[in-house]
Amino acid sequence: MLLEKAGARLDLNSIINHGKYKDHTILEAVVDKAFNGNLRPFEMLLEKAGAQLDLNSIINHGRYKDHTILEAVVDDALNGNSKLFEIVVEKAWAKIDLNVINNGRYKGFTIFDIAVERVLNGDLKFFEILLEKTGDLLDINSKMKIYKLEAVVDRAIDRAFGGKSRLFEMILEKAGEQLDVNSIREKGPYKGYSILGAIAKSACIRSNSKLLELILNKIDISKIDLNARDKLGYSILWRAVYLARKESPKLLELILAKADISTLDFNARHLEGCSVLWKVAELVSRYPELLGTILEKARPSILDFNVKNQRSKISVIELIVNAASKQPELFPLLRKAIFCTSLYGIKLVDFLNNDALQTCFTSLEEIKQYLHSKVSFLDEIKACSAVQIAALKLLENKEKVEKLKSQLAHGREGAMEDGDVSSANYHFTNTVKPHFEMQFLSYSATEDREECLLKIECEIRALILEAILEEAQEQGNEEVKQFIEKNKEQLIEGETSTMGASCQVLKLATPAHSAWRCYNPFAKVGNPHFPNLLTAPTSNREIYTTQASDPTGNANHAEDASKIVRERVAYYYLAVMDKLDGNESDRKNRIANFIGLLAEIRNTHGQDDPSCFPGHLTRIANMGHYHAVAQMPDSRDNIIQDYFRERVLALFKEEIEKRSSLKEKKRLLKALTALTEETAIDIVKQPAKYPDNMLEIRQQVIASLGSLENVVESVNAILAEKGLASIKQSSQSDGESLDRIKDERLIVLRYILDIARGQTNAALGLCFDKLTDSAPSVEDIASLNPFDAIVEEPAHQLFAELFGLLLEHMPTCRQSLHQSKNLAMCLQGKIQPLLDPSEDKQALLEEFCHHIMQDVQDEREATAEIIASLREKGLLSKDTEMMKNPFDDNVQRFERLFSMNPSMRQHLENARKKQGLFNEFMSNAQVNVEKGLLPRSVLKELIEAMVIQMVSDKEEILNQEKFLAENKDNPLFEKVNLNYIVGLIANAGREPMSDVKQQPEEEEPSPEQDKGKQKMRM
């Protein structure tokens, strides 16, 4: 009654003088009552006199002496009496200090710390009270003093899976917007998983998607990465499809309804070897609405219906066809899907004409016909233009030929043919091994071949591991990644226990994993008759061989065969990694080819069932692909190419004579050269680039070649004369599956359809230039200047002057418009370097003039006149930069080899000596060069020869012999002239010797020598 009437005026800190609570304040008495179970006075106190209540005031009496009221309330709640705490939270929330508690068993904790700790001990009440009141203030992702709140989330997940989801639902309800479901757990039972990933994994194990559905309903789905993979390699999208198969499609339906479908990766492959879309198609019989939603919402460009399951080799569209065959009601879905399929990377919906989009694929039978013979079907129903069909036929035949060549080169058939084995042995012995012999032996200071082999095999293992890591990264396979990262050094070195352990991890059927097992002696093979020859065999058993693969008869046992195979692969590895051949793209192709062939060797007769010894040799020979030296020569292809080039050129000359105007002649050339395998895809997309009238011209010329049978007969006659295998014809029908094609006539058909294939294209261009050429006019020459006279004045002026000087000395260009155009194109790229003050302009011009004026008499004198003229007109400033040192590249090469092999020290030192001597000699001779006594290009060759003579090693002697052989007829390289140059260099800065008489007298010079000396003095 007192609180009711005078609560606002009541002094809660006044002292009670009598009774049980004598010397207590009113507030202490009310609180004590509450602790003893009588909550009503305290509750009224909060309602009527709450403004005066200080929860941080100290209690001076009773069991909570020296505690604040809040500390006492919290402690009482932790002892099971949470009602009082609930009243405080409800009535006086604004007064609660969430900071550190100073007394009691939780001294040093915050209230949130206490709540988390209680959850981890199984008591959820305290946390739930706080969460109910302050979820929006709670930082679920923060690190608390003692615990991470993520531990509470983990506990909430566990309870939810146990059927008690209230806490998790409260977290989502009160703090869901700030809950980072994508962050990866660093500790706890879900280490390595995100919240969403952990729930998804458990959902799949328990076949219960309710929690996932709850999350997607409570959290903005745009903040959720549905494509991110967990450490097992599975995405949320993938698991949603899995749950659709195991439980119900509700979760996947929810994702498709709420997510931006363009962000979902339906084409991502998972560990099963198939895509998400493939899995959805697998369910089409049960849940057609899932595929229907995807087709309705997604753009065709983001869906790949052609992708196949790596195990079953069945594509997405084939799955849907099979389902529609059993359930006709699925046909509308199938028709939508077929338009989203691709033909040679181009979506049907992107190039079929409007009539076809409306009228074709109206029955299941039509779709099956299309899938059986795609281009023929489209041609038959006129689904696109004749030009597009011609382009598609080019691509179709290209695919067939590549499939055929792959079968002939890598397949079981042909791999053991004596001719192929003999060719492989001959090419390795006479080309590959001699080319890489020095590099192979550089791996050992004593040139111990066994030591060299073991070191190279370490590099091979390292290369394969990198490929496996890339693959694991792409698939999200954390187990493989962690195993390799932890044991990489031991795996590269082939340490016994680690190699044994790798059998349980590196066991997938992918090319990289299969290649690894080639170099793992503990990886078991399926057939004991064909042992793994890429590791030292455990027993020297007899193996299968042939006379061609082992003419000496020494390799009919496993040990000898293994030595041959291992060493041969090591040599080809050097070719694969050769940085001096090709560009980075070539090296990537070589690596992929190398690993692919190792995998093929491992799996020739089935999974982990290796090839026989002869099959090893032919497959190893193909490891040289994309390398100029190591690649197996294909004489038959060269002869076929030469045959077509001659035939097509002859027909082109006949046809061009029939045309009077230049426009018609250009159209003929373009008709033959503008449609190729390289341009076919672009023309299918944009057929206007290749008009119908050009296609008619092209088909007429192709018809003039004769029928396929006649052309094959002519080619076979030439091959027979050369002693080469003929083009073999298969009896199989044209509609046979690509997987079973063996008709070699496809190789000839490729040259017929792509009539300007290979070197023929360039030959036609040269022939056209010759037949349509004329002398350029003054206007023509002016029009060839690519630089703007105002905006690019310095470049325009230099180009005009230099181009004119070159034409004066090159009458063939002056009389040919086409050659003038080519010269202008070559010159265009040199102008900017000639304007660059940091470049050696004289050296650049000398090199350029030497390159383009090789057929010009007195080329050096002409070059000197051009340089002098440009300098006189102020267009070529005097440069002081030194010429590029020809030994720089060798120094870099030997530095790289030395880093891998310390025995290369002497080679590196010699290379550095040459580098230093060249710079010294060039510096000494600079004065004489500037006086015009010698062209720089000549001086460079002479000094290079001198340096090689003065510092020689095994490799450079070979270079010197080659150099001298190439220049043996050059009078400048006679001994007397070499001495003369030495004199020039030695007397730098002084007056050089200007008379031959000052040279040491030797024998009477021949007229040719005398002529050379006179030219030298000039």
Side-chain angles (χ1 to χ4, degrees):
M1 182 66 72
L2 182 62
L3 287 172
E4 187 72 34
K5 296 294 183 180
R9 290 178 288 128
L10 187 63
D11 182 3
L12 298 179
N13 296 312
S14 60
I15 303 298
I16 299 172
N17 297 315
H18 302 90
K20 178 181 178 182
Y21 291 105
K22 181 182 178 182
D23 298 329
H24 289 59
T25 65
I26 294 173
L27 180 59
E28 288 173 340
V30 172
V31 169
D32 191 72
K33 278 283 187 183
F35 288 147
N36 289 313
N38 188 355
L39 302 178
R40 181 60 184 161
F42 188 77
E43 193 170 358
M44 289 182 65
L45 179 66
L46 291 175
E47 289 178 1
K48 302 300 180 179
Q52 299 183 49
L53 180 63
D54 181 5
L55 293 177
N56 295 313
S57 60
I58 303 297
I59 299 173
N60 297 310
H61 301 86
R63 56 174 168 162
Y64 287 114
K65 182 180 179 182
D66 297 328
H67 288 60
T68 66
I69 293 174
L70 179 61
E71 289 170 348
V73 168
V74 168
D75 191 74
D76 201 49
L78 296 176
N79 288 324
N81 184 13
S82 63
K83 187 64 178 175
L84 181 58
F85 183 68
E86 291 179 44
I87 292 172
V88 171
V89 169
E90 179 67 29
K91 303 293 185 180
W93 174 250
K95 293 179 175 292
I96 294 180
D97 182 1
L98 300 177
N99 293 317
V100 176
I101 290 176
N102 297 310
N103 293 285
R105 55 177 163 160
Y106 286 105
K107 182 178 180 180
F109 283 55
T110 68
I111 288 184
F112 279 142
D113 283 334
I114 297 170
V116 169
E117 198 272 346
R118 296 309 299 165
V119 170
L120 299 181
N121 284 289
D123 180 8
L124 308 183
K125 187 68 176 177
F126 195 77
F127 188 82
E128 288 176 351
I129 294 169
L130 276 178
L131 194 61
E132 184 68 39
K133 189 67 180 177
T134 186
D136 55 336
L137 300 177
L138 187 62
D139 186 357
I140 286 292
N141 306 302
S142 72
K143 294 183 179 180
M144 304 301 289
K145 183 174 178 63
I146 306 299
Y147 294 100
K148 277 188 177 182
L149 279 175
E150 69 178 26
V152 176
V153 178
D154 292 342
R155 181 60 57 89
I157 293 171
D158 286 340
R159 290 178 64 83
F161 282 131
K164 300 174 182 178
S165 61
R166 182 172 178 274
L167 177 59
F168 189 73
E169 289 178 20
M170 285 183 67
I171 291 174
L172 288 178
E173 184 69 35
K174 299 296 181 178
E177 283 303 312
Q178 55 164 303
L179 187 63
D180 185 0
V181 295
N182 300 312
S183 63
I184 303 299
R185 288 292 195 251
E186 298 174 2
K187 297 179 180 178
Y190 301 113
K191 181 181 177 181
Y193 288 90
S194 65
I195 292 175
L196 201 61
I199 294 173
K201 178 188 175 186
S202 296
C204 290
I205 293 172
R206 294 171 170 82
S207 297
N208 187 335
S209 63
K210 288 182 180 178
L211 274 188
L212 279 173
E213 293 171 32
L214 185 64
I215 291 176
L216 296 181
N217 278 314
K218 295 291 185 181
I219 296 178
D220 182 357
I221 201 167
S222 66
K223 297 179 179 179
I224 299 174
D225 187 352
L226 297 166
N227 301 313
R229 303 192 188 200
D230 59 30
K231 67 180 183 180
L232 294 180
Y234 299 107
S235 68
I236 303 301
L237 184 60
W238 175 273
R239 291 197 183 276
V241 178
Y242 176 88
L243 285 165
R245 182 165 63 90
K246 296 286 286 185
E247 182 202 9
S248 81
K250 286 183 180 180
L251 179 62
L252 186 55
E253 288 172 347
L254 185 62
I255 290 173
L256 296 178
K258 298 188 70 172
D260 177 358
I261 208 159
S262 66
T263 65
L264 301 179
D265 189 356
F266 291 103
N267 304 320
R269 287 182 181 272
H270 287 67
L271 296 182
E272 279 78 359
C274 57
S275 66
V276 173
L277 187 62
W278 197 95
K279 282 292 185 182
V280 172
E282 193 179 34
L283 298 172
V284 71
S285 297
R286 292 165 57 192
Y287 307 119
E289 65 278 1
L290 295 176
L291 184 61
T293 302
I294 293 171
L295 285 168
E296 180 183 343
K297 288 188 170 187
R299 298 190 309 276
S301 59
I302 70 170
L303 302 175
D304 188 353
F305 283 89
N306 297 75
V307 68
K308 293 185 176 183
N309 185 316
Q310 290 178 341
R311 295 178 181 175
S312 67
K313 305 303 180 186
I314 297 175
S315 67
V316 176
I317 195 65
E318 287 170 336
L319 275 178
I320 304 171
V321 168
N322 294 340
S325 299
K326 300 173 183 176
Q327 297 173 246
E329 65 273 16
L330 296 177
F331 180 77
L333 271 182
L334 172 59
R335 189 169 188 271
K336 279 186 180 180
I338 198 70
F339 284 114
C340 295
T341 60
S342 300
L343 186 54
Y344 307 114
I346 319 164
K347 296 289 183 183
L348 292 188
V349 72
D350 290 337
F351 75 88
L352 296 188
N353 57 44
N354 289 331
D355 287 343
L357 291 173
Q358 297 297 323
T359 61
C360 70
F361 302 134
T362 55
S363 69
L364 182 62
E365 189 57 36
E366 273 191 15
I367 292 175
K368 288 182 176 180
Q369 288 175 16
Y370 165 74
L371 293 174
H372 183 261
S373 186
K374 296 174 182 176
V375 178
S376 297
F377 177 82
L378 296 180
D379 188 16
E380 183 181 338
I381 66 170
K382 308 301 179 191
C384 50
S385 70
V387 168
Q388 289 171 308
I389 292 296
L392 289 170
K393 285 183 177 178
L394 274 177
L395 296 169
E396 179 184 50
N397 196 69
K398 175 188 176 182
E399 182 183 36
K400 289 181 178 179
V401 171
E402 288 176 350
K403 188 76 173 180
L404 169 66
K405 286 194 170 185
S406 176
Q407 289 175 344
L408 294 177
H410 303 307
R412 226 175 287 177
E413 298 181 19
M416 291 163 38
E417 290 184 6
D418 283 351
D420 293 338
V421 176
S422 297
S423 297
N425 286 336
Y426 182 85
H427 182 59
F428 174 75
T429 304
N430 294 281
T431 303
V432 178
K433 187 175 181 180
H435 186 80
F436 292 102
E437 181 71 4
M438 282 188 64
Q439 189 174 351
F440 181 89
L441 294 175
S442 72
Y443 280 81
S444 168
T446 60
E447 298 190 352
D448 182 322
R449 301 190 70 84
E450 182 64 22
E451 181 185 354
C452 296
L453 177 60
L454 293 175
K455 288 183 177 179
I456 293 174
E457 286 184 336
C458 286
E459 291 187 10
I460 292 173
R461 283 193 289 270
L463 178 72
I464 298 171
L465 286 175
E466 286 302 318
I468 294 173
L469 276 173
E470 286 182 20
E471 194 177 80
Q473 183 70 33
E474 181 183 339
Q475 295 178 347
N477 193 329
E478 290 296 323
E479 181 188 14
V480 169
K481 284 172 60 180
Q482 290 173 10
F483 178 79
I484 293 177
E485 288 165 359
K486 181 181 178 182
N487 303 288
K488 193 169 186 179
E489 283 189 25
Q490 295 92 324
L491 290 168
I492 290 173
E493 293 296 328
E495 193 271 324
T496 302
S497 61
T498 313
M499 294 298 280
S502 73
C503 295
Q504 303 303 316
V505 182
L506 307 181
K507 57 185 179 181
L508 300 181
T510 65
H513 280 248
S514 297
W516 173 259
R517 292 194 291 277
C518 287
Y519 283 91
N520 188 351
F522 299 97
K524 294 181 180 180
V525 298
N527 187 342
H529 296 293
F530 295 126
N532 179 21
L533 298 179
L534 282 163
T535 57
T538 54
S539 64
N540 194 26
R541 59 184 300 279
E542 191 171 344
I543 61 167
Y544 172 79
T545 187
T546 63
Q547 177 65 29
S549 57
D550 180 29
T552 63
N554 295 328
N556 57 351
H557 285 79
E559 284 185 4
D560 295 319
S562 177
K563 288 177 183 177
I564 292 171
V565 166
R566 289 172 62 200
E567 187 173 284
R568 192 168 295 195
V569 172
Y571 274 91
Y572 275 99
Y573 165 78
L574 297 178
V576 168
M577 305 307 292
D578 188 1
K579 291 188 176 180
L580 301 178
D581 182 273
N583 53 33
E584 195 59 33
S585 175
D586 293 326
R587 281 185 283 280
K588 285 181 180 178
N589 287 334
R590 291 201 295 257
I591 290 171
N593 178 63
F594 179 76
I595 290 174
L597 285 163
L598 284 175
E600 191 175 303
I601 286 171
R602 179 72 183 182
N603 302 321
T604 300
H605 303 103
Q607 183 71 28
D608 292 317
D609 195 351
S611 171
C612 61
F613 175 53
H616 272 74
L617 301 181
T618 53
R619 290 177 174 87
I620 293 169
N622 287 312
M623 290 176 178
H625 281 346
Y626 309 105
H627 190 282
V629 174
Q631 182 161 303
M632 280 286 289
D634 191 344
S635 300
R636 192 170 72 165
D637 267 4
N638 293 337
I639 288 171
I640 295 172
Q641 187 172 161
D642 291 344
Y643 168 82
F644 274 98
R645 185 175 65 252
E646 293 172 10
R647 286 292 313 276
V648 173
L649 277 174
L651 290 171
F652 178 71
K653 290 175 183 177
E654 290 177 14
E655 291 296 323
I656 206 168
E657 290 299 324
K658 298 176 184 177
R659 290 158 172 79
S660 56
S661 71
L662 182 60
K663 185 177 180 180
E664 290 177 331
K665 292 176 181 181
K666 284 183 177 179
R667 185 182 294 120
L668 171 64
L669 177 67
K670 192 174 179 181
L672 299 182
T673 59
L675 175 56
T676 65
E677 288 179 356
E678 288 71 32
T679 64
I681 289 177
D682 192 36
I683 288 173
V684 172
K685 293 177 180 178
Q686 303 178 67
K689 288 186 174 182
Y690 193 86
D692 288 343
N693 59 359
M694 284 171 42
L695 182 62
E696 293 173 10
I697 296 170
R698 179 191 184 90
Q699 302 295 27
Q700 289 172 6
V701 177
I702 288 176
S704 301
L705 288 170
S707 67
L708 176 61
E709 288 72 19
N710 291 338
V711 173
V712 170
E713 186 177 344
S714 300
V715 169
N716 277 339
I718 298 172
L719 292 173
E721 289 177 8
K722 303 284 185 181
L724 295 171
S726 63
I727 298 294
K728 298 173 184 176
Q729 178 178 345
S730 169
S731 60
Q732 294 169 347
S733 65
D734 291 340
E736 193 63 67
S737 165
L738 279 178
D739 292 335
R740 295 187 292 276
I741 286 175
K742 295 292 186 295
D743 194 338
E744 294 185 5
R745 292 181 306 166
L746 292 169
I747 298 171
V748 175
L749 183 60
R750 188 177 195 178
Y751 282 92
I752 294 174
L753 294 176
D754 191 1
I755 194 169
R757 178 172 174 72
Q759 299 174 0
T760 304
N761 198 312
L764 287 171
L766 292 173
C767 182
F768 176 82
D769 289 347
K770 185 176 180 180
L771 295 175
T772 61
D773 207 0
S774 61
S777 65
V778 175
E779 291 78 13
D780 289 333
I781 292 173
S783 69
L784 294 176
N785 193 328
F787 301 100
D788 186 273
I790 299 174
V791 179
E792 302 171 292
E793 181 184 0
H796 182 276
Q797 188 179 0
L798 179 58
F799 181 92
E801 188 65 32
L802 182 51
F803 191 45
L805 290 169
L806 289 169
L807 289 177
E808 286 180 18
H809 291 281
M810 300 174 69
T812 54
C813 284
R814 195 167 63 246
Q815 296 164 10
S816 166
L817 178 58
H818 292 297
Q819 290 192 37
S820 296
K821 288 180 179 178
N822 292 336
L823 176 60
M825 290 176 63
C826 292
L827 180 58
Q828 180 179 353
K830 298 295 178 183
I831 296 301
Q832 291 302 335
L834 288 172
L835 292 172
D836 186 345
S838 67
E839 290 285 354
D840 184 347
K841 301 172 195 58
Q842 181 171 327
L844 280 173
L845 265 180
E846 285 178 356
E847 183 182 357
F848 178 67
C849 291
H850 175 68
H851 176 69
I852 64 170
M853 294 198 300
Q854 292 181 6
D855 297 330
V856 175
Q857 192 174 9
D858 298 328
E859 167 234 315
R860 285 175 177 147
E861 287 80 355
T863 300
E865 287 179 22
I866 290 172
I867 292 172
S869 178
L870 290 174
R871 280 191 172 147
E872 184 180 343
K873 295 179 181 180
L875 295 174
L876 191 68
S877 60
K878 186 176 181 180
D879 47 48
T880 57
E881 293 293 324
M882 295 302 297
M883 183 181 298
K884 176 174 169 56
N885 193 318
F887 300 102
D888 288 348
D889 291 340
N890 259 357
V891 170
Q892 292 178 8
R893 174 169 166 256
F894 283 118
E895 283 176 345
R896 177 177 60 82
L897 290 173
F898 176 68
S899 68
M900 297 184 292
N901 187 348
S903 67
M904 298 302 293
R905 178 184 296 278
Q906 187 59 48
H907 294 283
L908 177 58
E909 289 177 356
N910 287 343
R912 285 174 174 166
K913 285 180 184 177
K914 296 187 188 78
Q915 184 186 47
L917 278 172
F918 184 89
N919 287 338
E920 182 181 347
F921 287 169
M922 280 300 299
S923 178
N924 289 343
Q926 188 73 9
V927 174
N928 301 301
V929 172
E930 290 171 358
K931 291 181 179 180
L933 294 170
L934 282 171
R936 268 191 196 202
S937 56
V938 174
L939 186 69
K940 178 183 175 183
E941 291 177 346
L942 292 172
I943 290 182
E944 189 173 355
M946 289 167 55
V947 169
I948 291 173
Q949 283 183 336
M950 294 175 70
V951 185
S952 58
D953 56 31
K954 189 173 182 180
E955 179 172 337
E956 291 299 345
I957 287 172
L958 296 176
N959 290 343
Q960 179 188 351
E961 290 173 355
K962 179 182 178 184
F963 174 79
L964 294 175
E966 291 175 349
N967 295 278
K968 63 182 179 179
D969 297 326
N970 190 336
L972 290 173
F973 286 85
E974 292 293 329
K975 181 179 179 182
V976 62
N977 288 322
L978 190 59
N979 288 337
Y980 177 70
I981 299 305
V982 173
L984 282 178
I985 296 169
N987 290 281
R990 307 172 194 159
E991 287 297 319
M993 295 178 287
S994 57
D995 199 323
V996 178
K997 292 177 182 178
Q998 294 178 353
Q999 302 172 28
E1001 289 191 7
E1002 298 181 359
E1003 56 183 302
E1004 185 71 15
S1006 66
E1008 290 77 10
Q1009 290 173 323
D1010 190 53
K1011 181 180 178 182
K1013 294 173 188 176
Q1014 292 171 12
K1015 187 178 290 188
M1016 170 72 76
R1017 290 195 295 275
M1018 293 172 63

